[in-house]
Amino acid sequence: MSGPRATARARPIEGDRAPRARIVLGCLALALVATALAALMTGATGLANPEAIRLMLAGERPQGDLLLMRDVIVLADIRLPRVIMAGLIGASLAVSGAVMQGLFRNPLADPGIVGVSSGAGLGAAAMIVLGGGLLAPVTALFGGHAVSFAAFLGGLATTALLYRIGTRGGSTHIATMLLAGIALGALAGAALGLLVFVADDRALRDLSFWGLGSVAGATWDKILTAGPVIALVLLLSPLLARALNALVLGEAAAGHLGVNVQRQKRLAIVAVAAATGASVAVSGGIGFVGIVVPHLLRLTIGPDHRYLLPGSALLGAILLIAADTVARTLVAPAELPIGILTALAGAPFFLWILLTRRGFSLG
């Protein structure tokens, strides 16, 4: 490795872009608030009365004024859960993508590539198709949360299998995990195909809508189910920043810098599995957020994970709240699955990375 090349790879842990990064993070925080407020006030039913927001924030319900009561109910029981759910899922997927890319030292990695999303999707599909028959006891036990539970369990089971395959003698081999994740994703896809083959018409419709991704079913119960898991991962993710910065230099160099590489890799994998599984469980398949958001931020603030991880959380939340707002207003009163919008925006960006940034590195 030449001298200039080595210098370039050392930049992730330098602080030369720190002032710009702090400004960008501040702007993103303000933009998140503005986007959330705009999403609350936008929808098939117009809300022109600011008093409705004041009453919602105060936890009050108006008496006598039916129009104002309608606005408060729409805000508190329909739009606010969607905004919170979309924000949590967007932040979760974006941070998971940033962690995966740092862990694999691969700018094209995201949770989907290691099979976590596919495993979660297979679990949900199995419950949708077999929930009234073979898996009826699970449906009876978990009721309306059965699909979410199955998706979460599928994601965790895939991660456990992936980790078992990729670990030998106490050492986790990232390349093996990457290849195993691709194989497990293909296997999950084949199993999903079998479920589609045996599904009836009702299950096929549910599978199609769930697979495209949506937060239309957001409720306070679902937020209380998946939200704590996602929030915990988001709050703890900055603790991985130093290790991810060091891993850009290679595992050996990271070890010399005092990083417990194996422990940090395990923590990162578990965090991504938990956040992705919880997100897929309540929203279905929403792709490309984990790819697009970290790259957009790297172009602006650089690859330092101390700023990249919180920035990804903020921008991911903004992106998905905005996408959900468009999804429920563009063809109102009907609604587009949000996964279609993220794919329409993310797929061209993914191709642009492949075609124009062949020399792109995390450093």
Side-chain angles (χ1 to χ4, degrees):
M1 180 181 293
S2 65
R5 181 68 171 170
T7 301
R9 286 190 176 279
R11 283 176 184 168
I13 57 176
E14 294 179 353
D16 54 340
R17 295 187 183 181
R20 177 195 290 184
R22 294 190 186 100
I23 293 173
V24 170
L25 290 183
C27 293
L28 287 175
L30 294 175
L32 176 58
V33 175
T35 305
L37 288 175
L40 283 174
M41 299 302 291
T42 305
T45 301
L47 296 174
N49 193 345
E51 179 67 8
I53 289 185
R54 189 194 69 77
L55 291 172
M56 180 196 69
L57 294 176
E60 300 176 6
R61 296 295 171 102
Q63 302 295 327
D65 189 336
L66 295 180
L67 190 59
L68 185 58
M69 184 182 298
R70 181 209 64 176
D71 289 351
V72 173
I73 291 174
V74 168
L75 281 173
D77 297 339
I78 299 177
R79 293 186 189 172
L80 185 59
R82 289 190 68 149
V83 169
I84 293 175
M85 182 70 79
L88 286 171
I89 293 171
S92 166
L93 296 177
V95 168
S96 296
V99 171
M100 283 284 98
Q101 288 158 24
L103 184 65
F104 287 107
R105 299 189 294 281
N106 187 326
L108 301 181
D110 81 340
I113 204 169
V114 295
V116 179
S117 298
S118 299
L122 178 60
M127 187 55 63
I128 290 172
V129 177
L130 305 175
L134 186 63
L135 300 179
V138 181
T139 303
L141 183 62
F142 291 97
H145 298 293
V147 173
S148 298
F149 172 77
F152 184 64
L153 194 63
L156 286 182
T158 304
T159 304
L161 183 58
L162 192 67
Y163 186 78
R164 181 70 183 84
I165 294 173
T167 302
R168 289 286 187 278
S171 177
T172 304
H173 303 278
I174 294 300
T176 302
M177 288 190 66
L178 190 62
L179 295 174
I182 294 172
L184 290 175
L187 188 61
L192 182 60
L194 285 176
L195 289 172
V196 169
F197 182 75
V198 301
D200 57 23
D201 290 343
R202 181 198 58 79
L204 279 176
R205 284 194 300 272
D206 291 344
L207 279 176
S208 298
F209 193 77
W210 191 88
L212 292 173
S214 174
V215 292
T219 62
W220 289 112
D221 282 345
K222 287 187 176 180
I223 290 176
L224 291 176
T225 300
V229 177
I230 296 174
L232 182 64
V233 172
L234 293 176
L235 290 173
L236 296 180
S237 62
L239 299 178
L240 296 169
R242 176 175 172 269
L244 292 174
N245 280 346
L247 282 171
V248 173
L249 304 171
E251 292 189 16
H256 289 307
L257 290 173
V259 175
N260 187 330
V261 175
Q262 295 305 319
R263 186 177 67 181
Q264 295 298 323
K265 285 197 293 189
R266 285 194 293 269
L267 288 174
I269 291 167
V270 170
V272 168
T276 305
S279 298
V280 174
V282 294
S283 68
I286 298 176
F288 293 103
V289 176
I291 285 281
V292 172
V293 171
H295 283 298
L296 285 176
L297 281 172
R298 281 194 192 91
L299 294 174
T300 307
I301 64 175
D304 191 333
H305 289 86
R306 292 175 301 172
Y307 306 106
L308 185 63
L309 292 176
S312 294
L314 292 169
L315 185 56
I318 293 170
L319 181 66
L320 216 60
I321 290 173
D324 179 56
T325 305
V326 173
R328 60 185 167 82
T329 56
L330 189 62
V331 293
E335 185 170 318
L336 282 173
I338 196 171
I340 292 178
L341 295 177
T342 58
L344 284 174
F349 187 82
F350 186 81
L351 291 173
W352 174 73
I353 293 173
L354 292 176
L355 294 174
T356 66
R357 313 267 308 172
R358 295 176 184 175
F360 189 85
S361 73
L362 296 176

